[in-house]
Amino acid sequence: MPTEKGMSLIVRTVARLLAPVMLLVAAYIVLHGHITHGGGFQGGVLVSCTLLLLIIAFGVDYVEAKVTFNFGQVFRSAGATAIILVALVGLVFGFWFFKNVGVYPYGFPGEVFSAGSLTLYNLAEMANVSASFLVAFYVLIRFRRRGK
Amino acid sequence: MSFEANFPYIVCMLLVSIGLYCILCKKNLIKIILGFIILSDGVNLFFIALGYKAHGIPPILHEETFQHGLEYFYRAAVDPLPQAFVLTAIVISMGVVTAALALAVKIYQLYGTLETTKIRRLKH
Amino acid sequence: MAVGASAATMAMSLLLLFETLKGNIVVHKMAGWSAPVGIILVVDGFNAFIASIIVGVVLAAAVFSIGYMRGEASLNYYYALVMLMLGGMMGVVLTGDLFNLFVFLEVMSISAYGLVAFKSYEMEPLEASFKYLIMGGTATTIILLGVALIYGAVGTVNLADIACRLRSGSLLPGVSGSLVLPVSLALLVTGFGLKAAVFPLHTWLPDAHPAAPSPISAILSGVTIKVGVYALFRILFVIPLNVDFAFAVAVLSVLTMTVGNVMAMLQTDIKRLLAFSSIANIGYILLALSVGLSGGTYGVYGLTSGLLHVLNHAIMKGLLFLTAGAIVHAAGTRNLEELVGIGHRMKATAIILVIGVLAMAGVPPFNGFISEFSILLAALGAGMGFFAALMLANILLAFSYYLRLLYILVWQAPRESLSTVRDPSPSMILPMSVLASLCIVFGVWPQPVLMLSHHAALSLLNLNGYIAASLS
C-alpha cells in the first residue's frame, strides 16, 4: 500500500533508477512522433506515469514539493495554448488551420528533425497531457485524503 | 467466413455484452464504472480488429518498405486509421472514466456509501 | 471574456449563415488535406442554421450567468466549461467527418457532465451528473461501435464519401451491406437518440437538466439535445434507407411527446416540468423528421417546419429556463407550491414569463404556434393523419399544464414568504427580454425565419451538392 511516506527501500531505489530511463524513453517517443508510432500523447502519458511511480514510491508530499499543483496547472494551460498558437501559425502561413508549416528546413524522411511544426505539436501535446494527468492524479489523491 | 476469422469479433461482442450487463445490473458505482471501461475496451478492440491483417507489417514508411515497393507496402501493412481512431477513443474514454471516478469519490464523501440502492434519492 | 468569445463566435456563424444563403457551401480543409484523407469542416445552409441557433442561446446564457452565478466558487472553471461545451457543439455541427463528430460529441458531453455537477457540494447534481455520465458514455460508445461498423463496411468515415460510396454500392469486399448497414444505422440512431432524449432513453434528462445551474439548463435543453437531433437528421439522410424508417421515427416521436407531456403534467418542480416539456418538443421535431423522411413535397415542408421548431424551441426553452432561473435565484426554491404568486413580486420577470409560456403553449401571436401548426399541416399533408391527431392532443395537453403554471405563478395571490423577492439585476433581464422579443418578432413576422429554415431543409436534401463540395 502506498502510504504518506512512501514504500520500502527496495521500491524507492528501483524507482529512483527507473525514473530517468522512463523520461528518456518518453523524450524518444515524443521526438520520433512523426516517424514511428507514438507522439505527444504517448510520451506525455509516460512522463505522467513516471511521476505516478515517484508518487507511489516516495509519497505524494515528496513529489508535490518538487512539482507543485499550480505548476502542473500552468504547464497544462501553456501546452494547450501552444497547440492553438501553432495551429494558428498554420492558418496564417499555410492557409489552413493546423497546416504543417516548415518552421525549420525540412530534412529527409526518417530523420528526427524532418517534420516542420509537427514536432512542435508533439512537444506541446506532451506538456499538456503529462501535466493534465499529473493534475488529475493530485486531485484524486487529495479527494481520498479528505475523505478519511 | 470461417469461425477463426470471426473469432476476434465474437470476443469483442462478448466484452461489449459483459460491459452492458455490468452497467445495467450492478448496484455499485465502481462496478458500473468498470462495466463502462469493459464496454469501451470491447468497442476499441473491435475497431482494432477491423484493421488487422495476418502477418501484417507496421504502416511506417522507411527504407526497407521502399526496397520492396509501394505495392507490397499497400498489401501487407495493417490499416493505420483504426489505430488512430482507437487512440482518440481511448483518450476520450479515459476522460469519461476520470470524470466518473471524481463524481464517485464526491458521492462517497457525501453519502458514505457507493451502493446505488442506498443513494438513489432521485425520482425515476 | 466568455461573453466576448461567444459574441465573436456568433458574428462568425452569422457570417457563415449569410454566405451559405447565397447557395455556397463553405469547406475548410484541416491541415490542407482534402476530403477522404483529411478532416474537413463543411458548412451548408443546414449546418449554419443550427450553428447560429446554438451560439445565440449560449450567448444569452453567458450574459445571464454574469448575474446568476455571482458569488459561486471557481467561476473560471465554469466559464471554461461553457466555452468547451460551445466548442464541442459547434464541432459536432460543422464537421464533415463521422469520427470527428463522435469526438466533438464527447467533448460536448464531458463538459456537460462537469457543468451538471457544478454545484458539487449538493447531492442532487452529483447523482444526476453520474446518471447522465453513465448513460451518455454508453451512448457514445454505442455510436463508436456504429462508426466502426460503417468504417468496416465502407472504408471511410467522411460523411460525403460514405454517402457517395453507399449510393454507388461500392462496399469493401466481403461485406454484406444489407446486414451491416441497418445494424450500424440502428446503433447510431440509438446513440444519438439518447443524446436527443428520445422516449425509451430519455430518463437522464429530467434529472440532469433541473440539477444544473439555470443558464446551463437553458443551454442543455435549448441546444445540446438539438445537437443529437442534428446528428439524427444528418445521419438518416446520408445513409440510404432500405428500411421504412419514417414509420419507426413517427412511432418513436409520438411516444416521446406523450411521455414528455404526461410526465410534465405531474411535476411540482418548475425546472423538472420544463425538462419534461423539452422531451415532448423533441417528439414534435421527430414527427417533422419522419414527415421529411417520407419524401415528396410535404417532406420538404415537414423538414422546414421541424427546423423552424428547432429554432423556436431553442428560443422559447432557453427563455423559460432563464426565467425559471431568475425566479429560483430570487426565491431560493424550485417547488411550485412555494412559488405561488411570485409574479406579483417580480413584475418584469412575470411579463417575460407570460410571453415564454404562451409561446411554448402554442398561442397564435407567438412563434411556437407557427412551427407547431406547420408540423401538423405537414403531417396531415403527408398522409399521417393518425400521428397528426395524436400530436394535436399532445399540444392541447401541453396547453393545460402551461396554463396551470401561469395560474400558479402569476395569477394567484402571492405567499407571505415571498414578500422580499424583487426583480433580478439588469444583466439577467437583458438576455431574457431579448429572447422574449424574438418570440414575438418571429411570431408576427415569420417570413425571414421560415425562409432560413426552408433554405436549411433544401440544403439538407441537396446531398449531391454536399458531396461535390466536400470531395472537391
Side-chain angles (χ1 to χ4, degrees), chain C residues 308-358:
Chain C
L308 187 62
H309 198 64
V310 169
L311 167 70
N312 285 342
H313 180 248
I315 294 174
M316 297 183 295
K317 196 44 71 69
L319 168 65
L320 278 185
F321 263 117
L322 292 187
T323 319
I327 290 173
V328 172
H329 191 65
T333 175
R334 289 180 356 210
N335 195 337
L336 277 178
E337 286 160 15
E338 295 173 33
L339 291 174
V340 169
I342 197 169
H344 293 279
R345 295 275 173 266
M346 306 168 77
K347 291 277 194 281
T349 316
I351 295 169
I352 294 169
L353 180 79
V354 169
I355 294 173
V357 168
L358 287 183

Side-chain angles (χ1 to χ4, degrees), chain B:
Chain B
M1 280 244 217
S2 62
F3 179 74
E4 286 81 20
N6 279 327
F7 187 66
Y9 305 118
I10 294 170
V11 172
C12 297
M13 287 306 121
L14 212 60
L15 279 178
V16 168
S17 355
I18 293 172
L20 273 179
Y21 167 77
C22 281
I23 290 175
L24 292 176
C25 298
K26 290 294 170 187
K27 299 286 182 218
N28 189 309
L29 292 188
I30 299 295
K31 284 181 186 166
I32 292 176
I33 296 173
L34 283 179
F36 175 72
I37 297 173
I38 295 172
L39 173 71
S40 59
D41 281 356
V43 176
N44 289 342
L45 212 59
F46 180 80
F47 224 146
I48 283 283
L50 280 177
Y52 173 74
K53 281 178 187 168
H55 313 295
I57 60 170
I60 301 172
L61 277 175
H62 54 102
E63 288 92 29
E64 288 170 38
T65 29
F66 286 125
Q67 284 167 11
H68 292 290
L70 278 178
E71 185 65 24
Y72 167 76
F73 180 73
Y74 178 73
R75 266 189 294 111
V78 297
D79 192 350
L81 213 51
Q83 301 179 1
F85 289 157
V86 165
L87 182 63
T88 319
I90 288 173
V91 176
I92 287 169
S93 65
M94 185 275 309
V96 176
V97 167
T98 315
L101 283 175
L103 282 177
V105 173
K106 271 282 185 191
I107 289 175
Y108 186 76
Q109 284 177 357
L110 283 179
Y111 290 89
T113 177
L114 284 170
E115 298 294 315
T116 45
T117 46
K118 291 177 192 157
I119 59 178
R120 177 98 345 148
R121 301 196 323 168
L122 294 168
K123 288 154 271 181
H124 286 281

